[in-house]
Amino acid sequence: MEIIHYPDPILRRKGAVIREITAEVAERAHEMLELLVEAKGVGLAAPQVGWSAQLCVINPAPEDRSREMVCVNPVLAAAEGEEVSDEGCLSFPELRGNIPRFARITCRWYDLD
């Protein structure tokens, strides 16, 4: 598994809904978590590894692997406010910038269990 870089068209394609959490889905998610650690990132979406699916892995504190999350079919339920912070993207390795984001969000997703 490797990180896909822009301008690969899979990065613009909407991922497919995951209908069943199978052993293959769990295995791919765990591979993505390992890749996230290797890349020293905080988040990685399935299309960024060439998998057109609605799944992402997140670790807001990379030094603490107990905070890792796998989000299957995530949905943004509510958002408010705005803040700007310096960010990068693993699919755009040479690019960083001040990115506006919502200050607070509520999301729903399934985990692997």
Side-chain angles (χ1 to χ4, degrees), residues 16-31:
V17 171
I18 294 175
R19 302 270 179 219
E20 182 180 1
I21 299 172
T22 63
E24 179 185 2
V25 168
E27 182 179 327
R28 283 183 168 193
H30 290 295
E31 287 178 34

Side-chain angles (χ1 to χ4, degrees), residues 1-4 10-11 13 15-16 18 28-29 32 35 43-57 71 74 91:
M1 183 174 284
E2 63 183 35
I3 295 173
I4 303 298
I10 196 168
L11 297 171
R13 195 174 314 142
I18 294 175
R28 283 183 168 193
M32 288 174 63
L35 186 56
L44 188 63
Q48 289 180 276
V49 295
W51 180 23
S52 187
Q54 292 183 23
L55 182 142
C56 65
V57 297
C71 305
S91 290

